[in-house]
Amino acid sequence: MIELIRTNDIVLISAVEAILREAGVYCFVADQHMSVLEGSAGFLQRRVCVAGDEADKARRLLREAGFGDELRES
């Protein structure tokens, strides 16, 4: 799995998931449950990940949707 985005912004995560799902790209949100356990401290960020062979397509889709600044370095 390749990490695309790391954030605490659940609205951003929902938007990214919707964009990728619409395009048929499976994504996994890591640390989703850990961030709930840590409460509002905000030190555990969620990570949006995709399969390695889908990473280029996912990055392109997210850049086209205006989320290029949110992407982690490849």
Side-chain angles (χ1 to χ4, degrees):
M1 297 297 277
I2 304 295
E3 180 182 333
L4 296 178
I5 295 175
R6 185 180 294 192
T7 184
N8 286 327
D9 186 342
I10 59 173
V11 175
L12 172 62
I13 291 171
S14 294
V16 167
E17 285 182 298
I19 290 165
L20 296 178
R21 187 178 318 114
E22 178 71 24
V25 176
Y26 171 78
C27 69
F28 174 73
V29 180
D31 301 323
Q32 185 167 306
H33 301 292
M34 291 303 295
S35 60
V36 170
L37 292 175
E38 58 99 19
S40 61
F43 62 88
L44 285 177
Q45 295 181 320
R46 294 173 175 101
R47 297 174 289 141
V48 179
C49 304
V50 296
D53 61 341
E54 295 274 37
D56 289 337
K57 178 180 179 181
R59 288 180 186 283
R60 181 182 48 79
L61 289 165
L62 295 176
R63 281 189 192 101
E64 289 173 0
F67 294 112
D69 290 342
E70 302 295 336
L71 292 169
R72 307 265 307 167
E73 295 295 321
S74 35

